[in-house]
């Protein structure tokens, strides 16, 4: 059984305590609703402290700009407490994997191994590895690159790798989660000889990727659908989409 790392366990305890203390009522005075008991509250298929944290958070939902789930938003804005949306993003992952996302991903991977390019702390890789998916997680600088993430140890082994690493892994599905704005995604897509891309992030080149990347996906890749279970923290507009190279 996967073990929750100490820093993630502490984060879960702090976040739950914060939201329990400050989120008893909304700003309007109405009781705060959480995801517990709602349509996204599916049985967990992995040890997933990020989702445990999401279940504890006060929320309201807004539709995404593409078919998908609602958006998870803190009812109380950051001035009402120290535990803002940026805390789990820095110490866990920018994109939140729900149990439904993981089941959806398994169906679209259809047994393929995965190259998690720009893996950060390897949270998504850790989740997929718990489901017996063969995941190679890479990031610029490898595990040494976590200094900007407050020195937190990765959840899964993260090896040094750049966009060109994709050239050697056409047998794997290319997984890109919240890639930074700039040329990384375009270079990775140009190098990648495989046929399956999984993208988690905003469809806004000022936030993730670049215009060339999204143009390439539109013109040369076929979307296989969006996860209807994808959920966001605070004001993020992330979607989880699978693509197949057009013949």
């Amino acid at each position: 059984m996967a073990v929750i790392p100490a820093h993630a366990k502490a984060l879960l305890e702090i976040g739950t305590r914060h939201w329990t203390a400050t989120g008893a009522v909304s700003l309007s005075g109405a009781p705060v609703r959480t995801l517990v008991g709602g349509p996204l509250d599916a049985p967990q298929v992995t040890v997933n402290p990020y989702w445990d944290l999401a279940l504890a958070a006060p929320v309201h939902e807004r539709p995404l700009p593409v078919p998908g789930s609602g958006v998870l938003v803190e009812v109380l804005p950051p001035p009402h407490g120290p535990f803002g949306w940026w805390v789990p993003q820095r110490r866990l992952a920018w994109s939140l994997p729900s149990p439904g996302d993981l089941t959806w991903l398994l169906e679209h991977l259809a047994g393929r191994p995965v190259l998690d390019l720009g893996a950060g702390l390897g949270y998504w890789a850790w989740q997929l590895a718990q489901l017996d998916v063969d995941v190679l997680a890479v990031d610029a600088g490898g595990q040494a690159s976590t200094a900007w993430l407050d020195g937190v140890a990765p959840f899964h082994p993260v090896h040094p790798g750049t966009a060109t690493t994709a050239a050697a892994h056409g047998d794997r599905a290319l997984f890109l989660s919240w890639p930074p704005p700039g040329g990384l995604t375009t270079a990775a897509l140009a190098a990648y000889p495989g046929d399956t891309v999984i993208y988690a992030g905003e469809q806004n080149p000022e936030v993730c990727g670049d215009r060339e990347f999204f143009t390439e996906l539109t013109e040369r890749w076929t979307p296989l659908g969006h996860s209807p279970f994808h959920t966001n923290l605070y004001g993020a507009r992330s979607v989880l989409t699978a693509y197949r190279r057009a013949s």
Side-chain angles (χ1 to χ4, degrees):
M1 180 177 179
V3 177
I4 300 177
H7 83 270
K9 187 178 294 186
L11 184 66
L12 176 61
E13 293 173 354
I14 293 169
T16 302
R17 184 166 60 248
H18 167 72
W19 278 321
T20 299
T22 62
V25 294
S26 69
L27 297 180
S28 67
V32 164
R33 186 173 61 83
T34 67
L35 292 176
V36 175
L40 298 177
D41 186 13
Q44 297 209 40
V45 292
T46 61
V47 175
N48 189 351
Y50 207 167
W51 187 247
D52 293 333
L53 193 62
L55 290 175
V59 305
H60 70 268
E61 292 181 60
R62 293 181 293 166
L64 289 170
V66 296
S69 69
V71 178
L72 177 63
V73 182
E74 287 189 42
V75 174
L76 297 180
H80 288 263
F83 198 87
W85 56 270
W86 62 88
V87 179
Q89 285 184 329
R90 285 177 61 86
R91 291 178 173 263
L92 300 176
W94 281 89
S95 187
L96 166 64
S98 72
D101 282 343
L102 296 171
T103 300
W104 182 90
L105 259 179
L106 284 181
E107 294 174 356
H108 283 81
L109 289 172
R112 288 178 177 81
V114 171
L115 173 65
D116 184 355
L117 181 62
L121 289 172
Y123 192 92
W124 279 82
W126 179 51
Q127 293 298 297
L128 290 172
Q130 290 183 57
L131 298 172
D132 297 323
V133 175
D134 176 0
V135 186
L136 173 61
V138 301
D139 202 303
Q143 297 186 184
S145 69
T146 59
W148 69 276
L149 293 156
D150 302 327
V152 174
F155 291 86
H156 184 85
V158 179
H159 305 278
T162 63
T164 57
T165 302
H169 297 285
D171 60 320
R172 295 176 179 269
L174 176 61
F175 180 63
L176 298 166
S177 176
W178 271 83
L184 170 68
T185 50
T186 296
L189 208 57
Y192 176 61
D195 66 355
T196 303
V197 170
I198 308 291
Y199 174 74
E202 295 206 6
Q203 296 180 320
N204 179 353
E206 295 183 1
V207 178
C208 297
D210 57 29
R211 295 187 185 282
E212 291 79 6
F213 171 69
F214 291 111
T215 297
E216 181 77 5
L217 285 178
T218 299
E219 294 180 351
R220 301 192 180 185
W221 293 78
T222 301
L224 303 178
H226 308 285
S227 168
F229 312 101
H230 200 52
T231 308
N232 289 262
L233 285 176
Y234 196 58
R237 309 286 283 178
S238 174
V239 296
L240 178 61
T241 308
Y243 296 87
R244 184 68 43 79
R245 189 185 294 275
S247 56

